[in-house]
Amino acid sequence: MTQVTDHRGGVWSIAVPIPDNPLGHTLVHLLETDRGPVLIDTGWDDPDSWDTLVAGVEGCGFAVTDLHGVLITHHHPDHHGLSAKVREASGAWIAMHAADTAMVRRSREAEPGRWLDYLTAKLTAAGAPEDHLAPLRAARAKGSARSLPARRPALPDRDIAPGELLDLPGRRLRGIWTPGHTPGHVCLHLEEEHPGRGTGAGAGAGDGEAGSAVAGAPAGQPHRFGRLFSGDHLLPGITPHVGLYEDPDDATVTDPLGDYLDSLERIGRLAPAEVLPAHQHAFADADGRVQELLAHHEERLSGLRALLREPLTPWQLAVAMEWNRPWEQIPYGSRNIAVSEAEAHLRRLVKLGHAEPVPGSDPVTYRAA
């Protein structure tokens, strides 16, 4: 049975299933506007997911053909997967931050063999053992690309510009760039008084970074203002994956974990009255959750620095790190994600001067500095 929640004030959520995934579903949000409803994310491209989305839109009082636009928090398939079908069914535009649009374009244009070669080279440099590399080499030899990113995700036709109000008549929705989980991840701040939290705030701050104060608010405390569609950036009980941005044609040394931590602090200062994430459930106290995540990453970086008392490759570090299950139980594809996350943490430690590569090591090992 389709799960639809009325969050009041023309805001709804639809639980769209993710097949064979422990997350269970993506919370696709529907926002009513004067030009028709707009979706925030769409869910996984799967027949059952599509049927659930259609039924959910109808449960909100609309037809899919009524949809005016689609706002994508980030390009991952459990968020962007059904965008093409929505556009085909309704003529809706699709908007995304330019950095993630560039990733969509690359995934549409890249040759499958190029991705396999890139992934094999990256894992080899990270110190992956031959038994992990062998399936990739076999897939390359057979011309197989079954494990590659989706080849034909929808190419967005509008940008979500950071700090600007979106063109949604009758609503005040501002895009906030929050890179980390992906380079173009955005949160969307609904700068309207929460329908269940009283009145008196008026419009939000022009930079989308802080709510306005109201009479009666405790001195020194911000008025908790508006609602935040947080995508995967801020979740109530999950720490989002932060790995390296995959681009075979760009050798820029990025710091996605540093980007994520900076983005978290910006969201903490925003002080929304409620967070509407893409997974789990809505929650209050965004700043409290931000502080928990900042503390978690500080603790984790400290623990990894302790592990690096002995030189380790990124693969060895990933094996030694704590995950939600023992390494032996982590599926093949998820191990690649884990290594990417280990490398993101290593990049952060190196940038902070807390770790360094061992000269002459091949594959490169890292040690605490």
Side-chain angles (χ1 to χ4, degrees), residues 6-78:
D6 182 358
H7 295 280
R8 302 174 60 185
V11 176
W12 305 74
S13 64
I14 306 164
V16 178
I18 310 172
D20 303 318
N21 189 294
L23 280 174
H25 58 262
T26 300
L27 291 173
V28 173
H29 291 92
L30 182 147
L31 179 67
E32 299 178 31
T33 82
D34 290 349
R35 285 187 189 157
V38 169
L39 292 183
I40 298 173
D41 293 332
T42 60
W44 192 276
D45 186 3
D46 174 81
D48 289 340
S49 302
W50 171 250
D51 290 344
T52 300
L53 178 64
V54 171
V57 171
E58 292 172 352
C60 299
F62 302 96
V64 168
T65 52
D66 296 328
L67 293 171
H68 171 58
V70 177
L71 299 164
I72 299 298
T73 61
H74 61 295
H75 72 86
H76 287 165
D78 54 324

Side-chain angles (χ1 to χ4, degrees), residues 78 154 195 261 290:
D78 54 324
L261 298 176
V290 164

Side-chain angles (χ1 to χ4, degrees), residues 75-122:
H75 72 86
H76 287 165
D78 54 324
H79 298 257
H80 185 42
L82 286 171
S83 298
K85 287 190 176 181
V86 170
R87 181 163 59 188
E88 182 180 354
S90 65
W93 46 260
I94 302 172
M96 182 185 288
H97 187 280
D100 269 21
T101 295
M103 297 192 76
V104 170
R105 185 174 289 108
R106 285 196 296 270
S107 71
R108 288 169 60 92
E109 296 174 354
E111 290 299 321
R114 178 77 175 94
W115 279 101
L116 281 169
D117 290 343
Y118 173 74
L119 182 57
T120 302
K122 286 282 291 181

